[in-house]
Amino acid sequence: MIDVHPARPDEYARVGALTIAAYSTLPVDHLWGGYAEEILDTATRARHAEILVAVTDDGSIAGAVTYVGDRSSSWSEWTEPGEVQFRLLAVDAQLRARGAGTALVRACIERATAARRPVLIHTTAWMDTAQRMYSRLGFTRRPDRDVSYEVWNAEPTPDLPSAWVGQPFLAYSWGHSA
């Protein structure tokens, strides 16, 4: 069984390390442009968003996600008024297929439902496992809300891996009436 709760300060280091490890398994580098340092600074992130952890029966942190319920948060990206989002969904590679990712997304949906707000998230072409889970959980693919390369890279990043050139961030929504 998986339990989801807000991360405690003594869990922040594990959340950062787990997220970096999960993103490091992706087929294309996602940790460029100082993103790894931002991810590792979980304490600062927790001041601007809610960090949730999925914990197994034995107390191991199996996964984490950043729920952004406030559009004015520095962690809110490409949302419109009234929308919430989540970011940095990550599951420990050793603990995958136990329901941690699903439990974390459902916890985000529960928060959005309680606030009566729709969810808009963005993912990349290389996160196909996450995309399948989002579809299974009722998210709708929203190409109209994709963020083009020209928008997200308006101020070019010097260490951008070549695989990212021309790639959009892909949008999915839950709870939108559109």
Side-chain angles (χ1 to χ4, degrees):
M1 186 171 145
I2 300 288
D3 175 57
V4 175
H5 67 259
R8 299 182 312 263
D10 65 314
E11 295 171 321
Y12 290 171
R14 174 69 181 128
V15 167
L18 176 149
T19 305
I20 292 294
Y23 273 56
S24 295
T25 67
L26 293 167
V28 171
D29 181 11
H30 281 60
L31 301 172
W32 43 268
Y35 201 38
E37 292 78 15
E38 286 183 68
I39 290 170
L40 288 171
D41 188 3
T42 307
T44 297
R45 187 168 12 122
R47 289 195 294 271
H48 302 279
E50 185 178 14
I51 313 298
L52 303 173
V53 292
V55 181
T56 63
D57 287 337
D58 70 0
S60 299
I61 296 177
V65 68
T66 300
Y67 177 79
V68 187
D70 180 357
R71 188 167 185 254
S72 68
S73 167
S74 58
W75 282 90
S76 180
E77 282 188 329
W78 310 310
T79 59
E80 293 179 357
E83 294 176 332
V84 300
Q85 70 181 169
F86 59 84
R87 301 184 55 192
L88 297 174
L89 176 64
V91 176
D92 185 316
Q94 303 292 327
L95 300 172
R96 288 189 179 148
R98 296 186 188 189
T102 297
L104 288 163
V105 172
R106 284 187 174 144
C108 291
I109 290 171
E110 288 170 11
R111 282 163 170 71
T113 299
R116 295 183 169 168
R117 296 172 68 196
V119 180
L120 184 80
I121 59 170
H122 289 89
T123 188
T124 68
W126 307 286
M127 296 180 171
D128 51 344
T129 300
Q131 291 174 41
R132 286 191 302 274
M133 178 180 57
Y134 301 147
S135 294
R136 189 177 70 247
L137 292 174
F139 282 76
T140 302
R141 178 72 176 89
R142 294 286 305 271
D144 62 308
R145 297 291 301 277
D146 286 356
V147 179
S148 72
Y149 170 74
E150 293 76 18
V151 168
W152 69 257
N153 196 41
E155 294 181 27
T157 307
D159 62 342
L160 181 70
S162 62
W164 283 87
V165 175
Q167 294 294 321
F169 278 87
L170 309 175
Y172 283 79
S173 68
W174 185 93
H176 283 84
S177 56

